[in-house]
Amino acid sequence: MLTTVQDLGRTGYQALGVSTGGAMDPTALRVANLLVGNPEGAAGLEVTLVGPTLVALSPVLMAITGGALGPSVNGVPVPERRAIALSAGDVVAFGCAPAGARAYIAIAGGIEVPAVMGSRATDLGVAIGGLEGRALRRGDVVPTGTPSAAARRTMRRLEAAGRRVAWWGAAPHLRRARLIDPIVRVMRGPEYDWFSGEADRAFWETSWRITDRSNRMGLRLEGGRVALPAARELVSSPVATGTIQVPPGGEPIILMADRQTVGGYPRIAQVCEVDLAVLAQLTPGARFRMTEISLIDAAQLLLARERDIYDLGNGLAIHHL
Amino acid sequence: MSPVEPRVRALSERVILVEFGDTAAMDAATRARVRAGVLALTREAIDGTTDVVPAYNTIAVHLDAASLGHFPAPYLEQVLREVRARVSDMPETPPAPGRLVEIPVVYGGVDGPDLDEVADHTGLTAAQVVALHAGAVYEVAMIGFSPGFPYLAGMPEQLTTPRRTTPRTHVPAGSVAIGGRQTGIYPQASPGGWRLIGRTTRVLFAPGEDPPALLAPGDRVRFVPVD
């Protein structure tokens, strides 16, 4: 079980070697926050594969998004991507047979742990942020902030209607079908041309598998080899979330949220931003292929996603009135 | 002779790279241009900039996804144009040198278990290694690997020593180390493959401080041997 406090990450400190971190599937966290009347970047819980069991200590408004990990309240399954009113004593649990790897729990008012360098995100490597820089464990009390006026109105409205679960919600940002043998769209990286025909072919044609040596820093892949034709020196250069590096062994690594800020391996490709959510939801053992997308098309997809989130925020604001 | 224009291209939909010279360049002139570029990109930041990250010969400009919709479409062309405008017309004179930070170091013994190996590899005595290492003034070329870890350029060439073939699983915080042509300091206890020649008690990274890191890119460093 790995449950950590995450927000949208620590920006502004990469020049000092500090990872951005934050939610592996930021879109899912943003949507969860909007559903409970929070700012998009409020801190929530990132639940990995096996969910925790949580007890509400006071009435709260909650929403669960991201991977489908089978959430329930007091043993009754509850839908994802809806605002859910919890009373004191209600028990939130997760089932098995997940579709996806990471679920996000937003609580109205956000999780109120101290911000470190402007963010509440847990960085397990440096042991900062979140609850004492670590993952949640049995017995922890997770402090939450004051719900917004919108969240309080929604709670009153649900109570008046005698309902626990809101009858409005958000559409899934990932179709479940996309998580089965998905195609991940990537752009050519700065050192793409260093790789010869054979390595290049292996990169595009291999059905890549995510190994269990993968974590929040990066996804280590196996299933093929993408070897450089000759050793070539690259001095440490900037990387981003989604950068695909090829170490000398030829098995690519996809850098994820807790990545380092610079890296010395050739950058063969870059995952387009909207498909980072797909990778964040794949479990060890899952397979996927890569296909090329142009920078322009990737940028259009990113803008379309941002428009969707903007529209969702506006739509929910009407429901929160 | 004026240097060639830096290459400006996108790494992703919201990370722009500014590349100076070829991919192996780590010379002083290139570093000076990187520093000038960072100044140009932070003094008048492009809308939505969250991070300007320098490396030896590259700068990365990270943009916030939610801000991109505010650019008149197509935003990428405009961002690339704005980055180019800032870095193509930089002054020929390098920026003023950064502040000088002195780092006290206990060399050798339990604090620097690889000092003798470095001496063996370089054909110097341990005392000569220390004298050369402490006799130079270094420049923080970049910070990476872990929060606050300075990659220091300017090490005398005689001290070049390859990394260990098997990295240590535990390097103590404050270890001063040599990795190839570079020297650096481990701010936190971590795994690491560089050769440990000494240790400092200076705190290089404190998450609660502002700024959290003792050193910033462009700063200069001198090691001062202590007993």
Side-chain angles (χ1 to χ4, degrees):
Chain A
M1 185 188 102
L2 177 68
T3 299
T4 54
V5 175
Q6 297 295 344
D7 59 14
L8 297 181
R10 210 159 259 121
T11 54
Y13 293 93
Q14 284 196 70
L16 301 181
V18 179
S19 307
T20 315
M24 288 278 277
D25 184 348
T27 304
L29 177 63
R30 293 166 76 185
V31 169
N33 275 322
L34 291 173
L35 285 165
V36 296
N38 285 348
E40 284 177 30
L45 296 180
E46 179 179 276
V47 173
T48 310
L49 288 173
V50 180
T53 300
L54 306 168
V55 181
L57 297 180
S58 58
V60 288
L61 193 65
M62 170 190 78
I64 300 173
T65 59
L69 305 189
S72 64
V73 174
N74 300 335
V76 180
V78 288
E80 291 141 59
R81 301 178 303 280
R82 302 277 188 94
I84 299 172
L86 298 179
S87 309
D90 281 351
V91 176
V92 179
F94 292 84
C96 46
R102 293 178 174 86
Y104 292 85
I105 305 173
I107 301 290
I111 300 203
E112 282 274 299
V113 290
V116 179
M117 288 177 273
S119 165
R120 297 182 166 84
T122 311
D123 183 330
L124 295 170
V126 194
I128 55 170
L131 242 66
E132 301 164 1
R134 59 169 173 82
L136 263 56
R137 53 187 183 222
R138 183 188 296 267
D140 280 338
V141 172
V142 181
T144 57
T146 308
S148 64
R152 290 198 304 272
R153 281 194 300 272
T154 295
M155 287 180 82
R156 281 196 299 272
R157 194 165 165 208
L158 290 175
E159 193 180 4
R163 314 252 315 232
R164 179 195 290 289
V165 180
W167 51 95
W168 62 90
H173 71 292
L174 287 178
R175 302 281 162 193
R176 202 160 294 192
R178 278 201 65 195
L179 299 180
I180 299 163
D181 296 326
I183 303 282
V184 169
R185 294 164 289 187
V186 307
M187 296 162 272
R188 296 182 181 204
E191 285 76 50
Y192 177 81
D193 293 340
W194 290 17
F195 294 86
S196 69
E198 200 180 321
D200 180 60
R201 234 183 347 266
F203 182 74
W204 299 112
E205 291 178 3
T206 298
S207 170
W208 294 104
R209 190 168 53 241
I210 293 177
T211 69
D212 54 15
R213 291 170 293 133
S214 303
N215 54 30
R216 284 182 43 88
M217 286 181 74
L219 305 177
R220 291 172 174 274
L221 309 183
E222 61 183 14
R225 265 176 216 292
V226 186
L228 274 183
R232 198 163 161 182
E233 188 187 8
L234 175 70
V235 299
S236 290
S237 298
V239 292
T241 305
T243 300
I244 307 181
Q245 293 184 322
V246 181
E251 293 184 318
I253 300 171
I254 306 182
L255 301 180
M256 298 299 282
D258 286 350
R259 64 180 169 79
Q260 295 177 2
T261 53
V262 291
Y265 296 134
R267 300 159 291 182
I268 191 172
Q270 174 74 35
V271 178
C272 80
E273 174 125 353
V274 299
D275 281 357
L276 285 171
V278 175
L279 290 173
Q281 294 298 349
L282 294 183
T283 52
R287 288 177 169 279
F288 67 93
R289 286 175 188 276
M290 299 204 242
T291 186
E292 186 170 359
I293 186 173
S294 72
L295 180 65
I296 299 298
D297 288 347
Q300 287 304 316
L301 290 174
L302 175 58
L303 286 181
R305 185 194 71 191
E306 291 306 312
R307 198 175 52 231
D308 286 347
I309 293 178
Y310 181 79
D311 286 348
L312 174 69
N314 280 339
L316 288 170
I318 294 168
H319 281 290
H320 285 310
L321 282 177
Chain B
M1 189 184 78
S2 109
V4 285
E5 292 278 292
R7 180 175 186 190
V8 176
R9 57 175 168 166
L11 172 65
S12 77
E13 307 92 311
R14 56 190 190 91
V15 181
I16 309 299
L17 298 179
V18 183
E19 299 166 316
F20 300 85
D22 77 74
T23 51
M26 49 197 296
D27 55 282
T30 302
R31 293 200 309 275
R33 297 184 72 207
V34 167
R35 283 174 55 213
V38 167
L39 281 178
L41 288 161
T42 47
R43 223 174 358 220
E44 197 196 338
I46 291 158
D47 286 349
T49 299
T50 62
D51 289 273
V52 176
V53 188
Y56 280 106
N57 53 21
T58 318
I59 302 168
V61 181
H62 293 251
L63 302 164
D64 171 40
S67 70
L68 301 178
H70 301 300
F71 285 97
Y75 79 89
L76 257 176
E77 278 174 32
Q78 175 150 355
V79 169
L80 287 167
R81 205 162 38 233
E82 291 197 19
V83 171
R84 263 186 212 111
R86 282 164 179 74
V87 298
S88 65
D89 206 17
M90 296 191 304
E92 284 287 309
T93 44
R99 69 201 176 106
L100 180 64
V101 178
E102 294 201 331
I103 307 276
V105 181
V106 178
Y107 282 99
V110 290
D111 293 307
D114 299 337
L115 180 62
D116 290 335
E117 276 176 49
V118 172
D120 281 350
H121 178 84
T122 56
L124 301 164
T125 65
Q128 287 171 322
V129 170
V130 172
L132 277 170
H133 192 261
V137 173
Y138 301 88
E139 183 186 311
V140 180
M142 63 176 193
I143 295 187
F145 176 68
S146 72
F149 185 109
Y151 285 79
L152 300 173
M155 188 173 73
E157 268 183 40
Q158 303 103 290
L159 293 179
T160 300
T161 309
R163 294 158 204 215
R164 291 165 57 97
T165 40
T166 311
R168 281 188 173 82
T169 52
H170 179 86
V171 172
S175 293
V176 176
I178 291 176
R181 292 187 278 163
Q182 311 168 82
T183 186
I185 311 164
Y186 287 88
Q188 304 86 10
S190 71
W194 291 21
R195 311 270 176 175
L196 313 182
I197 60 167
R199 205 171 162 198
T200 183
T201 51
R202 287 294 296 268
V203 173
L204 273 91
F205 190 80
E209 304 286 314
D210 186 25
L214 173 66
L215 299 169
D219 283 349
R220 291 171 307 146
V221 167
R222 182 164 34 220
F223 294 107
V224 180
V226 292
D227 292 331

